[in-house]
Amino acid sequence: MKKLEVIQKRIEAERRKLNEMETTYGLLHPKVIKQSMKLDDLINEYTREESLRSDPFKS
């Protein structure tokens, strides 16, 4: 499986987890905020990886 596909699967799983946590704890609970930040990091990782693939001269 390609790296982007792996990251995308992780994003989907973490997004589902975030939605479940939001329903359980509410939007402003520290656990929900931490999970949201984890999801943000994965999305940023995906974006960086995608950017490198579209422009191989970037580092």
Side-chain angles (χ1 to χ4, degrees):
M1 191 178 298
K2 296 179 182 176
K3 188 171 183 177
L4 283 177
E5 292 173 2
V6 171
I7 298 170
Q8 190 172 23
K9 295 285 185 191
R10 290 175 56 205
I11 288 171
E12 292 169 7
E14 296 300 335
R15 183 176 286 132
R16 282 192 299 274
K17 185 175 179 181
L18 176 62
N19 288 335
E20 292 170 7
M21 292 175 75
E22 190 275 327
T23 300
T24 302
Y25 298 110
L27 190 60
L28 298 177
H29 192 282
K31 289 182 180 182
V32 176
I33 293 170
K34 186 174 180 178
Q35 180 64 22
S36 177
M37 292 169 64
K38 185 176 181 179
L39 179 58
D40 288 345
D41 289 342
L42 282 172
I43 292 169
N44 289 336
E45 181 181 347
Y46 182 91
T47 303
R48 277 191 305 273
E49 189 67 30
E50 189 177 47
S51 174
L52 288 174
R53 290 177 189 259
S54 65
D55 186 354
F57 295 106
K58 287 184 181 178
S59 44

